[in-house]
Amino acid sequence: MAERLLGKRIFLTGAAQGIGLAIAEACLAEGAKLFLVDRDGALLRQAVAGLGAPNGDVGYAAADISDGAVIAAAVSQAAAEIGPINALINNAGVNVFSTPLDTTEDEWNRNFDVNVKGAWNCSKAVLPGMIASGDGAILNIASTHSFTIIPHTFPYPVAKHALLGLTKSLALEYAGKGVRVNALAPGYVETQKAIDYWNSFPDPDAARAATLALHPGGRIASAREIALAAVFMISDECRFMNAACLVADGGLSMLQHAV
């Protein structure tokens, strides 16, 4: 077993599927202990069983990250099961796509409750322990929506821009306490969400091909590729990276016009 994350005790949200599950698999393979959180308890239990981890290496709780008290309790449970948390990966998120004047108050609130408030609730819960120990890493899974705008995806990019603000603010606030806070911004990733999106078109294959054609390399990321980037950012290999955002989009956000 590789040991790039040996000694890391990671609290990971949105862990039951997609990028979150891929991150769990990659971190476990690198020697980390994990505490996994997801709103979908049944799917989370299935994911944990599929990991086949040794006893004591993985704990989990079904929890809503928008509820600060619930998350504080989950972090306490995590400390009891795998030890004090010294790494947090805020992966849980929700797509809320509309146009500005069509966005309802419920959509606005849901967008910020999960994509920003949820990340803050988790950060707030783990930061005291990290500060006390003088060591900690927080990684926020952002998006290329954090610095680009696709029309008709409002208010999702507003929240993702805010998530980068949270990342930088916490990073500079606690750098002197031994805590580093960074973000990872994937572009298109071949997850079930992407597949469901393509399947919403009359010709799913054509929709998928159109997405791939947007990219300089003619393909999109696998969830594992994003997970391996997350492993690096949580590991001690990048201890001097702080208040940064690593972009993993195959060059898409640098392309001014599709060819």
Side-chain angles (χ1 to χ4, degrees):
M1 175 185 290
E3 297 184 345
R4 295 169 71 199
L5 297 182
L6 192 65
K8 299 294 183 186
R9 297 175 297 277
I10 303 172
F11 192 92
L12 169 62
T13 68
Q17 59 184 323
I19 293 172
L21 181 54
I23 290 174
E25 292 168 344
C27 290
L28 193 62
E30 293 289 352
K33 291 189 175 183
L34 306 174
F35 191 87
L36 309 180
V37 170
D38 200 281
R39 284 188 66 180
D40 190 328
L43 194 60
L44 181 61
R45 287 189 292 274
Q46 181 181 328
V48 171
L51 289 172
N55 288 338
D57 281 1
V58 177
Y60 66 95
D64 181 349
I65 63 170
S66 69
D67 188 324
V70 167
I71 289 303
V75 169
S76 295
Q77 179 185 340
E81 293 187 14
I82 67 170
I85 297 301
N86 56 14
L88 164 66
I89 302 178
N90 281 314
N91 169 72
V94 59
N95 291 340
V96 181
F97 295 160
S98 186
T99 58
L101 295 182
D102 289 328
T103 301
T104 67
E105 184 174 358
D106 285 346
E107 288 172 329
W108 176 272
N109 290 338
R110 178 169 171 257
N111 178 50
F112 279 90
D113 280 350
V114 177
N115 293 321
V116 183
K117 182 183 175 184
W120 166 232
N121 284 339
C122 295
S123 300
K124 185 179 181 181
V126 302
L127 272 167
M130 291 181 177
I131 293 167
S133 67
D135 179 54
I138 296 175
L139 178 62
N140 294 321
I141 305 301
S143 165
T144 52
H145 285 270
S146 300
F147 43 82
T148 61
I149 299 293
I150 300 175
H152 314 308
T153 63
F154 188 90
Y156 182 75
V158 184
K160 287 300 185 177
H161 275 66
L163 184 60
L164 279 194
L166 177 69
T167 300
K168 295 171 184 178
S169 181
L170 294 180
L172 298 184
E173 193 77 30
Y174 298 110
K177 304 293 185 181
V179 180
R180 54 192 174 89
V181 187
N182 293 295
L184 172 60
Y188 287 89
V189 183
E190 192 149 358
T191 62
Q192 189 58 49
K193 283 184 180 179
I195 293 169
D196 290 343
Y197 169 71
W198 295 324
N199 286 342
S200 70
F201 288 84
D203 187 341
D205 290 339
R208 182 179 187 277
T211 299
L212 269 58
L214 294 172
H215 294 72
R219 72 175 186 92
I220 63 175
S222 68
R224 176 167 170 75
E225 286 174 312
I226 304 305
L228 292 176
V231 165
F232 166 68
M233 296 187 77
I234 285 294
S235 78
D236 290 342
E237 295 169 9
C238 66
R239 287 186 66 87
F240 200 60
M241 183 183 287
N242 193 37
C245 179
L246 180 65
V247 180
D249 71 347
L252 174 64
S253 58
M254 292 296 104
L255 182 63
Q256 185 170 350
H257 295 289
V259 244

